[in-house]
Amino acid sequence: MRKTLAAATLGLAALSTSPALAEETPKLVTILTSPDAQTQLMGMVLTMQSMQQGAEAYVLLCGPAGDLALKEAPAAATAPQKPKGMSPQALMQNIMAGGATVEVCAIYLPNKGIEASALLEGVSAAKPPTVAARLLADKTRIMSF
Protein backbone atom coordinates (compact mmCIF):
# COMPACT_ATOMS: atom_id res chain seq x y z
CA MET A 1 0.00 0.00 0.00
CA ARG A 2 2.80 2.35 0.91
CA LYS A 3 4.63 1.66 -2.39
CA THR A 4 1.44 2.24 -4.35
CA LEU A 5 0.80 5.54 -2.56
CA ALA A 6 4.38 6.68 -3.16
CA ALA A 7 4.18 5.76 -6.84
CA ALA A 8 0.84 7.54 -7.21
CA THR A 9 2.24 10.64 -5.49
CA LEU A 10 5.27 10.70 -7.80
CA GLY A 11 3.04 10.22 -10.82
CA LEU A 12 0.80 13.11 -9.81
CA ALA A 13 3.82 15.29 -9.10
CA ALA A 14 5.18 14.59 -12.59
CA LEU A 15 1.84 15.42 -14.18
CA SER A 16 1.41 18.61 -12.19
CA THR A 17 4.83 19.93 -13.23
CA SER A 18 4.35 19.28 -16.94
CA PRO A 19 2.71 22.66 -17.68
CA ALA A 20 5.51 24.43 -15.82
CA LEU A 21 8.00 22.69 -18.08
CA ALA A 22 6.18 23.75 -21.23
CA GLU A 23 8.42 25.34 -23.83
CA GLU A 24 9.00 29.05 -23.58
CA THR A 25 8.15 31.31 -26.48
CA PRO A 26 11.17 31.31 -28.81
CA LYS A 27 12.98 34.66 -28.88
CA LEU A 28 14.58 36.11 -31.98
CA VAL A 29 16.95 39.06 -32.24
CA THR A 30 17.51 40.31 -35.78
CA ILE A 31 20.46 42.66 -36.19
CA LEU A 32 20.39 44.46 -39.50
CA THR A 33 23.33 46.57 -40.68
CA SER A 34 23.48 46.00 -44.43
CA PRO A 35 22.86 48.93 -46.80
CA ASP A 36 21.60 46.46 -49.44
CA ALA A 37 17.80 46.62 -49.87
CA GLN A 38 17.52 42.93 -50.83
CA THR A 39 19.45 41.89 -47.73
CA GLN A 40 17.31 44.19 -45.59
CA LEU A 41 14.13 42.74 -47.06
CA MET A 42 15.31 39.16 -46.55
CA GLY A 43 16.10 39.93 -42.92
CA MET A 44 12.55 41.21 -42.50
CA VAL A 45 11.08 38.21 -44.37
CA LEU A 46 12.83 35.75 -42.06
CA THR A 47 11.86 37.76 -39.00
CA MET A 48 8.21 37.75 -40.11
CA GLN A 49 8.31 34.03 -40.84
CA SER A 50 9.76 33.40 -37.38
CA MET A 51 6.98 35.45 -35.80
CA GLN A 52 4.38 33.48 -37.75
CA GLN A 53 5.91 30.34 -36.26
CA GLY A 54 5.53 31.69 -32.73
CA ALA A 55 8.71 33.66 -32.06
CA GLU A 56 8.88 36.89 -30.11
CA ALA A 57 10.91 39.23 -32.34
CA TYR A 58 13.21 42.16 -31.69
CA VAL A 59 14.91 44.04 -34.53
CA LEU A 60 18.00 46.21 -34.08
CA LEU A 61 18.85 48.52 -36.99
CA CYS A 62 22.42 49.83 -37.08
CA GLY A 63 24.46 51.88 -39.53
CA PRO A 64 22.91 52.19 -43.00
CA ALA A 65 20.05 49.85 -42.05
CA GLY A 66 18.95 52.43 -39.48
CA ASP A 67 17.62 54.45 -42.41
CA LEU A 68 14.71 51.97 -42.61
CA ALA A 69 13.36 53.58 -39.45
CA LEU A 70 13.28 57.11 -40.84
CA LYS A 71 10.03 58.88 -41.64
CA GLU A 72 11.84 60.20 -44.71
CA ALA A 73 13.64 57.01 -45.64
CA PRO A 74 15.76 56.69 -48.79
CA ALA A 75 14.11 55.28 -51.90
CA ALA A 76 15.89 51.93 -51.52
CA ALA A 77 14.09 51.40 -48.19
CA THR A 78 10.66 52.14 -49.63
CA ALA A 79 10.90 50.75 -53.18
CA PRO A 80 8.81 47.61 -53.76
CA GLN A 81 10.80 44.47 -54.52
CA LYS A 82 9.95 41.26 -56.29
CA PRO A 83 8.25 38.87 -55.95
CA LYS A 84 5.61 40.33 -53.58
CA GLY A 85 6.06 44.06 -54.22
CA MET A 86 7.05 44.71 -50.61
CA SER A 87 9.70 47.16 -49.46
CA PRO A 88 12.03 46.60 -46.50
CA GLN A 89 10.42 49.46 -44.59
CA ALA A 90 6.85 48.32 -45.30
CA LEU A 91 7.59 44.79 -44.10
CA MET A 92 9.33 46.20 -41.03
CA GLN A 93 6.17 48.16 -40.24
CA ASN A 94 4.09 44.98 -40.66
CA ILE A 95 6.43 43.24 -38.24
CA MET A 96 5.96 46.06 -35.74
CA ALA A 97 2.17 45.82 -36.15
CA GLY A 98 2.52 42.12 -35.36
CA GLY A 99 4.14 42.90 -32.02
CA ALA A 100 7.87 43.09 -32.73
CA THR A 101 10.02 45.75 -31.14
CA VAL A 102 12.20 47.72 -33.56
CA GLU A 103 15.00 50.00 -32.40
CA VAL A 104 17.93 51.81 -33.93
CA CYS A 105 21.39 51.44 -32.40
CA ALA A 106 22.10 53.90 -29.62
CA ILE A 107 24.76 55.64 -31.70
CA TYR A 108 22.68 55.89 -34.89
CA LEU A 109 20.85 59.16 -34.16
CA PRO A 110 23.81 61.18 -32.84
CA ASN A 111 26.05 60.06 -35.69
CA LYS A 112 23.35 60.76 -38.27
CA GLY A 113 22.90 64.21 -36.69
CA ILE A 114 19.14 63.80 -36.23
CA GLU A 115 16.66 63.62 -33.37
CA ALA A 116 14.34 60.78 -32.37
CA SER A 117 11.48 62.73 -33.95
CA ALA A 118 12.88 61.72 -37.37
CA LEU A 119 12.02 58.07 -36.63
CA LEU A 120 8.81 56.30 -37.53
CA GLU A 121 6.24 56.04 -34.77
CA GLY A 122 7.01 53.08 -32.56
CA VAL A 123 10.76 53.03 -33.28
CA SER A 124 13.15 54.28 -30.62
CA ALA A 125 16.85 54.30 -29.82
CA ALA A 126 18.14 51.15 -28.15
CA LYS A 127 19.68 51.12 -24.70
CA PRO A 128 22.88 49.02 -24.79
CA PRO A 129 22.32 47.27 -21.41
CA THR A 130 18.83 46.20 -22.51
CA VAL A 131 20.09 44.96 -25.88
CA ALA A 132 22.90 43.04 -24.20
CA ALA A 133 20.36 41.37 -21.90
CA ARG A 134 18.29 40.34 -24.94
CA LEU A 135 21.34 38.90 -26.66
CA LEU A 136 22.38 36.92 -23.61
CA ALA A 137 18.91 35.64 -22.69
CA ASP A 138 18.47 31.88 -22.66
CA LYS A 139 17.08 30.27 -25.78
CA THR A 140 17.50 33.39 -27.92
CA ARG A 141 18.31 33.02 -31.60
CA ILE A 142 20.30 35.80 -33.24
CA MET A 143 20.22 36.59 -36.96
CA SER A 144 22.56 39.18 -38.39
CA PHE A 145 22.37 40.70 -41.84
Side-chain angles (χ1 to χ4, degrees):
M1 173 76 169
R2 195 171 214 170
K3 287 182 183 178
T4 305
L5 184 57
T9 302
L10 286 173
L12 286 174
L15 288 175
S16 67
T17 58
S18 294
L21 297 176
E23 285 190 37
E24 295 178 27
T25 301
K27 294 178 180 68
L28 174 67
V29 173
T30 302
I31 302 171
L32 191 55
T33 61
S34 176
D36 181 73
Q38 285 184 11
T39 303
Q40 292 172 350
L41 184 59
M42 197 65 217
M44 294 300 160
V45 167
L46 293 175
T47 300
M48 176 65 87
Q49 288 295 315
S50 297
M51 290 175 67
Q52 290 172 348
Q53 293 182 33
E56 174 187 310
Y58 171 78
V59 178
L60 182 64
L61 305 171
C62 297
D67 293 351
L68 291 177
L70 296 174
K71 290 177 185 172
E72 295 184 28
T78 59
Q81 293 190 37
K82 294 176 183 176
K84 305 254 182 190
M86 184 67 72
S87 74
Q89 188 186 64
L91 189 51
M92 180 190 75
Q93 290 175 306
N94 287 348
I95 288 168
M96 291 171 60
T101 299
V102 175
E103 294 181 323
V104 293
C105 284
I107 61 174
Y108 175 77
L109 293 172
N111 283 290
K112 188 86 171 166
I114 57 176
E115 300 293 321
S117 59
L119 299 175
L120 294 168
E121 185 176 330
V123 179
S124 59
K127 293 177 178 45
T130 305
V131 175
R134 284 183 187 273
L135 294 171
L136 296 173
D138 286 340
K139 299 186 182 184
T140 297
R141 304 279 177 136
I142 300 169
M143 289 193 302
S144 183
F145 296 87

